[in-house]
Amino acid sequence: MSTVVYVPRDAAALALGAEQVAQAIAAQAQKSGLDVTIRRNGSRGLYWLEPLVEVATPQGRVAYGPVSVKDVAGLFAAGFLSGKAHALFLGATAQHPYLIRQNRLTFARVGVIDPVSISDYLAHGGFQGLQRALGMEPAQIVQCVTDSGLRGRGGAAFPTGIKWRTVLDTAATQKYITCNADEGDSGTYADRMLMEGDPYLLIEGMTIAALAVGATQGYIYLRAEYPHAHKILNEAIALAYQQHYLGAQLLGSAHRFDLEVRLGAGAYICGEETSMLESLEGRRGEVRVRPPLPAVKGLFGKPTVVNNVISLATVPTILQHGAAHYRDYGIGKSRGTLPIQLAGNLKRPGLVELAFGVSLRELLYDYGGGSASGRPLRAVQIGGPLGAYLPAQQFDTLIDYEALSAVGALLGHGGIVAFDDTVDMAHMARYAMEFCALESCGKCTPCRIGSTRGVEVIDRLLRGVDREAQLRQLESLCDTMTEGSLCGLGGMTPFPVRSAVKYFREDFLKPRPGIQGSQHARA
Ligand SMILES: Cc1cc2nc3c(=O)[nH]c(=O)nc-3n(C[C@H](O)[C@H](O)[C@H](O)COP(=O)(O)O)c2cc1C
Ligand code: SF4
């Protein structure tokens, strides 16, 4: 009998050598005359252990990692095909301490199944949410999503059911479902992992959304920097068409839903929903003035659902198990689970899906293992490049939209980037302004001009030119950007800047003998 060995085809695992490891395992098996089937799964999200190789044994799957090509011969010699001990042996995968305490609802299948096998997806509960949705009225589907308490996971945390209700209630001959897979936030990768590890979950979620609002066409707007996700999505979509999970007569019903992947234009602003729609229509990614909302007048002027990958991929679970099951996880107005992405200076970076309500401290130390450098953690940035920096004294803050808002932070897409005590927060504030200047679409003055002025003010601060006056000017600039920007890029850049000044003021005031202006020539 053939032994099944799993080697991820996830982009991060590939970057760490998974392809070469898969080839080495196949070559060694052939050389030894052993019958081995290599399955290419997604990543389990334990990134410090990638490439994580699993072997299916009669007692369940066991893991070894991080495996490199030079380890392969030794693994065979130790009997890894029977799950025997080896220096890289990690035990039963499902019992790994990083995984066992998680609440993997949306990521339940990621790393477990072959991403482009419909039969594997079905064997693990796939398409049950869609089957249920096919027996419901559109308004009932929308109500179910509303009752679950799901809020958009792309950043704005807007209730998904309410957005869908607007599209359902807007009469039109054509409606669209668009999936925002631009994933531009620093330190985030949940969308990519999901698309590479369980693409049918997203396809199922988009199909349910289409049934809920009466749409027949969908687009996944995928960032061009995700070539592996692109390939996997296209493979999965082609198979779904063949087996009537997409196209006309969905699962033998009278419903139709067509789906295509469109590649992004490589700009951060194309993740903002109205820029994304402009880009999908073939134009430069520039923000549209709202109202009208995309739900009323979106793609090609038609009512359009715009949702993040994780929001859409959460819907099948809600339909399958019911709104109450999902709603039972979480705290306050933050219901369900969140795939949190740990990144930066951490020993154990990776994906942790947990019910809302876990503290930053638990995430950084119990899961993340503290800093990779061994130095004390000084700050975290939550929610991407427009997110606030929080100091160690705020690490007991809970992952909860309202709790974070109370300390001047935002959850965004759930990315947490950790920094040790060598970080210079004045430089991080400058970086935020510089990022905004580089990525600004240029449509409104507070962002286009304000961000460039922001860099100049911080440069003067760093050179020690009348620091108190510069800090006042920076504050006033932040006010203008917050109040006057047309979208979140200019409007939220003050979050990292203000939080850096508020919690790490000493970094803005310390003497910098080496800096006379040359290091920051644009001042
Ligand atoms: C500058 C900027 C960049 C954004 N980038 C993304 C992104 O990459 N992915 C995403 O899903 N949402 C992004 N958003 C949020 C979207 O505008 C929108 O709120 C989201 O796609 C709606 O989906 P959701 O309700 O499921 O979260 C961005 C917003 C701004 C202001
Ligand atoms: S805030 Fe910046 S990115 Fe947004 S519309 Fe204005 S110029 Fe464009």
Side-chain angles (χ1 to χ4, degrees):
M1 207 181 77
S2 188
T3 306
V4 178
V5 175
Y6 293 84
V7 186
R9 61 182 290 192
D10 168 278
L14 293 176
L16 291 162
E19 191 60 44
Q20 292 81 351
V21 168
Q23 284 167 14
I25 292 172
Q28 185 70 40
Q30 198 181 27
K31 200 167 132 194
S32 317
L34 295 165
D35 189 1
V36 168
T37 303
I38 298 180
R39 293 242 165 89
R40 306 305 299 269
N41 55 339
S43 172
R44 297 271 192 167
L46 288 68
Y47 277 121
W48 76 103
L49 294 173
E50 290 290 2
L52 184 94
V53 172
E54 292 180 72
V55 182
T57 72
Q59 290 75 42
R61 277 158 71 163
V62 295
Y64 298 83
V67 177
S68 65
V69 169
K70 67 176 170 38
D71 300 314
V72 170
L75 282 166
F76 272 87
F80 93 122
L81 291 181
S82 327
K84 296 272 169 54
H86 181 276
L88 299 178
F89 183 65
L90 298 164
T93 323
Q95 302 302 315
H96 192 282
Y98 203 77
L99 285 172
I100 197 162
R101 289 175 298 151
Q102 294 193 31
N103 310 116
R104 287 213 170 186
L105 302 185
T106 308
F107 277 73
R109 275 177 292 256
V110 176
V112 176
I113 59 167
D114 173 349
V116 284
S117 161
I118 290 187
S119 56
D120 217 0
Y121 186 63
L122 289 168
H124 289 83
F127 288 121
Q128 288 184 18
L130 176 59
Q131 288 283 9
R132 232 187 120 216
L134 279 166
M136 293 162 78
E137 290 299 319
Q140 289 177 308
I141 305 174
V142 172
Q143 194 58 48
C144 179
V145 173
T146 307
D147 291 345
S148 74
L150 176 66
R151 292 165 73 175
R153 304 295 191 227
F158 189 79
T160 305
I162 293 178
K163 188 182 283 188
W164 289 17
R165 176 95 240 168
T166 308
V167 181
L168 173 64
D169 289 346
T170 307
T173 47
Q174 177 72 58
K175 297 180 184 180
Y176 295 104
I177 307 297
T178 59
C179 169
N180 190 341
D182 200 47
E183 198 165 52
D185 281 2
S186 40
T188 64
Y189 44 84
D191 294 351
R192 179 190 60 69
M193 258 186 83
L194 193 288
M195 291 182 287
E196 290 176 356
D198 195 5
Y200 288 113
L201 189 64
L202 175 59
I203 293 170
E204 184 180 353
M206 290 185 75
T207 310
I208 294 169
L211 294 175
V213 303
T216 52
Q217 177 69 50
Y219 295 101
I220 299 172
Y221 185 84
L222 179 71
R223 64 177 301 151
E225 295 89 342
Y226 282 173
H228 303 98
H230 190 206
K231 188 163 181 288
I232 290 173
L233 283 171
N234 279 335
E235 281 175 40
I237 289 172
L239 270 173
Y241 268 104
Q242 278 172 25
Q243 299 188 30
H244 302 290
Y245 288 97
L246 281 174
Q249 293 165 351
L250 272 179
L251 295 183
S253 73
H255 296 281
R256 169 178 202 111
F257 183 56
D258 290 300
L259 182 59
E260 282 175 48
V261 181
R262 291 289 165 91
L263 283 185
Y268 182 70
I269 196 59
C270 287
E272 191 284 331
E273 59 184 8
T274 61
S275 297
M276 184 195 83
L277 296 175
E278 285 288 297
S279 180
L280 267 175
E281 290 181 14
R283 280 190 291 276
R284 181 171 184 251
E286 210 175 61
V287 172
R288 291 181 186 171
V289 176
R290 279 173 298 190
L293 293 171
V296 176
K297 199 164 179 247
L299 190 63
F300 303 114
K302 302 293 182 195
T304 302
V305 167
V306 183
N307 273 135
N308 171 254
V309 174
I310 302 300
S311 317
L312 289 162
T314 302
V315 166
T317 308
I318 293 170
L319 267 290
Q320 182 183 355
H321 298 291
H325 175 263
Y326 189 74
R327 208 189 165 83
D328 279 351
Y329 291 89
I331 53 165
K333 291 184 193 158
S334 304
R335 307 312 313 174
T337 62
L338 183 72
I340 299 151
Q341 302 123 88
L342 299 180
N345 194 338
L346 289 175
K347 264 197 200 86
R348 298 193 292 262
L351 185 120
V352 180
E353 183 178 349
L354 283 172
F356 284 93
V358 61
S359 74
L360 272 173
R361 192 176 300 284
E362 283 170 88
L363 288 165
L364 294 169
Y365 294 98
D366 295 357
Y367 287 91
S371 76
S373 62
R375 301 183 66 91
L377 288 176
R378 183 173 185 227
V380 289
Q381 187 177 29
I382 311 175
L386 312 178
Y389 287 101
L390 292 182
Q393 49 287 21
Q394 302 279 11
F395 285 176
D396 288 318
T397 308
L398 302 184
I399 297 296
D400 162 42
Y401 295 113
E402 280 66 37
L404 282 163
S405 162
V407 293
L410 290 165
L411 194 42
H413 186 41
I416 298 178
V417 182
F419 299 85
D420 74 10
D421 62 352
T422 59
V423 67
D424 183 332
M425 295 307 296
H427 280 288
M428 301 314 287
R430 182 189 192 276
Y431 175 72
M433 284 292 189
E434 191 183 25
F435 178 82
C436 182
L438 286 169
E439 296 291 340
S440 170
C441 83
K443 190 152 181 163
C444 66
T445 313
C447 167
R448 187 183 67 246
I449 307 289
S451 52
T452 299
R453 292 291 95 85
V455 173
E456 292 166 0
V457 172
I458 296 175
D459 279 345
R460 283 199 292 276
L461 247 172
L462 292 176
R463 289 206 311 276
V465 181
D466 195 355
R467 286 193 159 121
E468 288 302 332
Q470 306 308 330
L471 281 170
R472 281 196 302 277
Q473 199 168 352
L474 189 60
E475 184 57 32
S476 145
L477 195 55
C478 284
D479 279 347
T480 307
M481 289 174 75
T482 306
E483 300 300 325
S485 296
L486 196 54
C487 86
L489 179 49
M492 285 160 59
T493 293
F495 273 98
V497 176
R498 280 197 161 118
S499 57
V501 175
K502 177 175 174 188
Y503 294 120
F504 307 95
R505 200 176 176 88
E506 64 277 16
D507 286 19
F508 293 81
L509 301 176
K510 69 183 178 195
R512 295 170 185 269
I515 297 185
Q516 298 299 330
S518 58
Q519 203 167 325
H520 301 289
R522 286 207 270 156

